[in-house]
Amino acid sequence: MNLEILKKNIVIVPVIIAILSGTVASVRYVLNLTNTINASKQELVDLRRDLNVERDRINKAQGDISNINGTINMSREIIEMLGSQLNELSWDVKDLSR
């Protein structure tokens, strides 16, 4: 009797084994895919954090550049004032030498 049941089910056993192995492979694939997605999410979080840090550095650099431009403009104005004062002094010296 057992031999007859085994003969009838000899075709079904490999099919069941194939279905089970396919299921296990699918579960592994899904788990690996989930791990990859989680790693990618973490990498995106890290990249966003780094992007915000770099934006802050750029904003600070732009502020420093604005300060430098202000200093340059103020220096030019001072040089122009000193140049005009020097020119007036040279006229004063010429007037005194007459």
Side-chain angles (χ1 to χ4, degrees), residues 1-97:
M1 169 105 172
N2 285 339
L3 190 58
E4 289 178 19
I5 294 174
L6 183 63
K7 286 181 182 177
K8 288 181 183 178
N9 293 329
I10 195 106
V11 174
I12 293 175
V13 171
V15 171
I16 292 174
I17 291 173
I19 290 172
L20 288 176
S21 65
T23 303
V24 169
S26 296
V27 168
R28 279 188 188 165
Y29 177 75
V30 169
L31 288 176
N32 287 337
L33 193 58
T34 303
N35 290 339
T36 302
I37 289 171
N38 289 336
S40 295
K41 282 182 183 178
Q42 183 60 41
E43 190 171 337
L44 281 174
V45 167
D46 293 343
L47 287 173
R48 284 184 183 147
R49 185 193 67 235
D50 293 345
L51 181 63
N52 288 334
V53 168
E54 293 304 317
R55 280 185 184 156
D56 291 342
R57 288 179 63 194
I58 287 172
N59 289 338
K60 184 182 179 307
Q62 286 175 338
D64 292 344
I65 289 171
S66 295
N67 289 340
I68 290 169
N69 284 336
T71 303
I72 289 171
N73 290 336
M74 187 175 61
S75 298
R76 285 183 184 155
E77 291 173 6
I78 290 173
I79 289 172
E80 288 175 5
M81 285 179 9
L82 289 175
S84 66
Q85 287 177 356
L86 184 62
N87 192 20
E88 289 175 14
L89 283 176
S90 68
W91 282 108
D92 289 343
V93 169
K94 286 182 184 178
D95 286 342
L96 287 175
S97 64

